Amino acid sequence: MNELPIDVLVNKDNLLPSDYYPKDLVATDENENNIHEYQDSKRKPMIRGDIYPYYKKMIEDAKTCGLEITVDSGYRSYDYQQNVLDEFLAKFGEEAYQKVALPGASEHQTGLAFDFGYYRDGKYYLSDFVVEEDPEAVWMKENAHNYGFVLRYPKGKEEITGFQFEPWHFRFVGLELAKELFDEGITLDEYYARKVNGTLKR
Ligand SMILES: [Zn+2]
């Protein structure tokens, strides 16, 4: 399978095959200490190499605003997602399906999405601690589209995306589409629905 197009739609109705993985993954963090135990094979967080320059520019610009944003969780394999889901099912029962994507339904498998974490006063905060009022989350929400990323699971769109609001999860879709989604206030799912219905105005 070739590399997926950057605007690929992945959700519970559009699953990735279990054997899909991006060929070109790069580590996102130069900090040697930033290796997260729960990542696949304890590697540094990875994203697709072709989107790395956009990511890099974004975090550099955030840094000039005094915000130290980093990738907490990037690429995740199908098997990893299965394990996470199994853990959550054991812990939360049916509620797990609201919190964790089905294997194949996670954008993390594309290498095009990441959950951000941040450093503040030398302390590292995992994506789990990100809330919408955080200056880091506010900055990302308002600026990520200028670098081709979108807040993928916004507040108020839970019914459409099938996910709870995730202020930490961003997805690369390319500069043009990111701006379009941001300006129109629609999700990638809605964009595709319009496309299918032939009501997409471009
Ligand atoms: Zn995520």
Side-chain angles (χ1 to χ4, degrees):
M1 195 172 175
N2 290 327
E3 213 72 294
L4 296 166
I6 53 162
D7 62 350
V8 64
L9 179 64
V10 177
N11 58 26
K12 63 181 182 347
D13 300 317
N14 298 275
L15 301 174
L16 290 169
S18 60
D19 60 353
Y20 175 74
Y21 64 92
K23 315 286 175 292
D24 173 31
L25 289 168
V26 295
T28 52
D29 198 321
E30 286 143 27
N31 181 348
E32 288 301 319
N33 299 317
N34 188 16
I35 299 173
H36 306 308
E37 293 293 316
Y38 59 85
Q39 284 283 319
D40 294 31
S41 64
K42 300 188 181 180
R43 283 183 317 195
K44 290 182 170 197
M46 314 271 269
I47 56 173
R48 241 169 69 169
D50 56 342
I51 72 165
Y52 180 75
Y54 299 89
Y55 162 77
K56 179 95 173 149
K57 177 87 177 87
M58 180 167 69
I59 58 159
E60 279 171 1
D61 288 355
K63 205 160 187 176
T64 64
C65 301
L67 305 168
E68 265 191 88
I69 292 164
T70 188
V71 170
D72 187 39
S73 179
Y75 165 71
R76 296 180 204 152
S77 69
Y78 185 97
D79 292 347
Y80 177 85
Q81 198 65 30
Q82 182 72 62
N83 292 339
V84 174
L85 180 62
D86 291 346
E87 269 174 39
F88 273 67
L89 279 167
K91 231 190 271 183
F92 300 104
E94 289 293 298
E95 216 185 298
Y97 293 108
Q98 290 297 311
K99 297 175 183 287
V100 183
L102 291 172
S106 170
E107 289 193 326
H108 287 274
Q109 197 186 337
T110 65
L112 296 168
F114 68 88
D115 299 337
F116 79 84
Y118 58 85
Y119 295 92
R120 207 187 281 168
D121 302 325
K123 191 171 181 274
Y124 181 61
Y125 294 84
L126 297 165
S127 60
D128 302 20
F129 294 96
V130 173
V131 292
E132 64 175 317
E133 296 81 14
D134 283 332
E136 291 82 0
V138 172
W139 191 92
M140 284 292 286
K141 187 184 172 193
E142 282 166 9
N143 295 284
H145 64 282
N146 294 320
Y147 308 88
F149 291 86
V150 290
L151 175 68
R152 184 65 181 85
Y153 307 120
K155 202 176 195 174
K157 302 275 186 173
E158 294 86 349
E159 295 280 303
I160 294 158
T161 62
F163 280 83
Q164 62 176 3
F165 172 44
E166 293 193 356
W168 54 81
H169 182 109
F170 283 78
R171 159 69 197 276
F172 189 81
V173 293
L175 289 172
E176 199 187 330
L177 183 54
K179 283 196 181 113
E180 188 176 331
L181 298 182
F182 181 85
D183 289 344
E184 296 207 23
I186 60 168
T187 60
L188 193 59
D189 314 88
E190 291 165 284
Y191 168 80
Y192 273 92
R194 285 187 191 181
K195 223 171 168 178
V196 169
N197 295 334
T199 55
L200 187 71
K201 49 172 175 26
R202 291 210 78 150

